[in-house]
Amino acid sequence: MAKVGGVLAWHPEVAMSQAEIDEFLSGRWVARLATIGRDGYPHVYPFWYYWDGENIYLTPTRKRASYRDLESNPRCSVIIDMDDRPLMGMRSNMAKAVDITGDAEMAHSGNRISIGAGPWRGEYSSDQAVALVTSRYLLFARDGALGTTGESFVDMITSTQAREAQLVKDNADRVFVKIKPKRIRAWDFSKAPIGWQI
């Protein structure tokens, strides 16, 4: 079938370079983690993430199924994507994604972890590393945010009242997970030649 202005499947001509991957993953997207459940079926979970240029980091809680899945089998996949085509049609063909397959390493509360690259390169406690990932997604008043800002969120979860709140209980005991890629496949369909035959 002839397709004007885009592609419908991965092809080497739409592959992202390392610099393009780093640029895209610096955004505040949602990562979808695919694990192998104890029941043998794949499970998919949304997460905030951090990409350091070499590894991707997530922060599940110990009581979540995603944590239990990774604990019993560290093999997993993560996809981060965006696609304007459902809203804009094929005229823009703006669809990008990074698909990572690898193995998870978990650092529990109190453990030391190492971020190997990027601006946060260094040694952290697991709790400090979890806070870094969370702070990446908070919009602060200094950023022009209104309503629940990063500052008010921090005040809310650190108050005495908040320690008893469900929000804090639900987010207690987070585990810092490093996923070391064995394979990365990334595409940007807007790079496709006009009038490409597929």
Side-chain angles (χ1 to χ4, degrees):
M1 127 173 112
K3 181 79 203 90
V4 176
V7 297
L8 298 173
W10 189 87
H11 186 277
E13 291 196 44
V14 298
M16 284 191 203
S17 68
Q18 183 65 48
E20 290 169 328
I21 290 170
D22 292 343
E23 177 75 24
F24 178 65
L25 294 182
S26 292
R28 291 171 171 160
W29 307 105
V30 173
R32 291 173 192 88
L33 170 70
T35 62
I36 301 166
R38 292 179 182 177
D39 58 5
Y41 286 94
H43 298 165
V44 179
Y45 308 94
F47 280 97
W48 291 352
Y49 70 90
Y50 172 61
W51 169 254
D52 70 359
E54 295 176 358
N55 302 295
I56 192 162
Y57 304 88
L58 310 170
T59 61
T61 63
R62 292 181 66 157
K63 56 187 155 190
R64 303 294 163 122
S66 54
Y67 166 79
R68 292 190 301 271
D69 289 352
L70 292 174
E71 188 177 44
S72 63
N73 188 338
R75 291 182 297 168
C76 58
S77 292
V78 177
I79 191 159
I80 299 99
D81 68 320
M82 61 82 63
D83 192 342
D84 282 354
R85 294 173 303 175
L87 299 173
M88 302 297 295
M90 293 300 290
R91 66 184 168 272
S92 71
N93 206 26
M94 184 59 74
K96 297 180 181 185
V98 177
D99 180 20
I100 299 168
T101 301
D103 296 309
E105 296 177 0
M106 293 191 276
H108 296 89
S109 182
N111 291 4
R112 300 293 295 172
I113 66 98
S114 175
I115 295 177
W120 290 344
R121 180 182 194 163
E123 292 282 325
Y124 300 90
S125 72
S126 178
D127 297 334
Q128 289 172 319
V130 166
L132 284 174
V133 174
T134 303
S135 70
R136 203 171 93 75
Y137 284 83
L138 295 177
L139 291 176
F140 290 85
R142 68 169 185 259
D143 304 317
L146 300 173
T148 303
T149 63
E151 294 92 346
S152 65
F153 179 77
V154 169
D155 289 344
M156 179 177 64
I157 65 170
T158 56
S159 72
T160 306
Q161 277 182 304
R163 292 192 190 107
E164 299 303 316
Q166 194 61 43
L167 174 68
V168 172
K169 290 177 184 177
D170 286 347
N171 286 283
D173 205 15
R174 285 201 174 268
V175 177
F176 194 71
V177 175
K178 175 193 287 189
I179 298 172
K180 293 185 170 187
K182 288 192 178 286
R183 181 187 67 127
I184 298 177
R185 201 160 92 158
W187 57 90
D188 176 354
F189 285 173
S190 70
K191 295 166 65 170
I194 299 295
W196 201 11
Q197 299 289 315
I198 57 172

